[in-house]
């Protein structure tokens, strides 16, 4: 799984878990793979990866113009802590 595939997988899993049942991804095996990939990262790698994810998916100028914002990044943060990290 490439870094971009990991980002896309996380985005889809998050979407499903937060109510976007049509556009999200419900796949327990994929979620397990994502958890494994994240757990294999050092703390610094994980911090940088998740920071890039939040920035690119919620905080770019384009995403802000689409209505995303800090509240979405915070919701993502909470979801990651509850669902993907040990």
């Amino acid at each position: 799984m490439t870094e971009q595939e990991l980002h896309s997988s996380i985005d889809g899993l998050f979407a499903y878990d937060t109510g976007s049942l049509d556009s999200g991804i419900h796949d327990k095996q994929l979620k397990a793979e994502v958890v494994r990939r994240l757990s294999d990262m050092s703390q610094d790698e994980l911090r940088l990866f998740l920071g890039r994810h939040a920035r690119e998916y919620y905080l770019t100028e384009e995403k802000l113009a689409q209505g995303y914002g800090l509240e979405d990044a915070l919701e993502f943060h909470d979801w990651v802590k509850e669902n993907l990290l040990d």
Side-chain angles (χ1 to χ4, degrees), residues 1 9 12-13 16-17 24-37 79 83-84:
M1 180 181 295
S9 296
L13 293 167
Y16 184 87
D17 285 354
I25 300 171
H26 180 65
D27 183 332
K28 290 180 182 183
Q29 288 181 327
L30 178 62
K31 194 174 216 176
E33 174 66 12
V34 167
V35 167
R36 187 190 67 72
R37 288 289 309 274
W79 175 82
N83 293 278
L84 300 182

Side-chain angles (χ1 to χ4, degrees), residues 9-67:
S9 296
I10 290 171
D11 186 50
L13 293 167
F14 176 63
Y16 184 87
D17 285 354
T18 56
S20 297
L21 305 181
D22 291 339
S23 62
I25 300 171
H26 180 65
D27 183 332
K28 290 180 182 183
Q29 288 181 327
L30 178 62
K31 194 174 216 176
E33 174 66 12
V34 167
V35 167
R36 187 190 67 72
R37 288 289 309 274
L38 295 179
S39 68
D40 286 347
M41 293 181 185
S42 71
Q43 287 299 309
D44 284 340
E45 290 171 322
L46 182 62
R47 182 182 59 80
L48 293 170
F49 175 83
L50 293 174
R52 284 190 301 271
H53 186 90
R55 181 185 65 216
E56 294 302 316
Y57 282 80
Y58 309 110
L59 301 173
T60 64
E61 289 299 320
E62 180 180 317
K63 294 295 184 175
L64 292 169
Q66 292 174 3

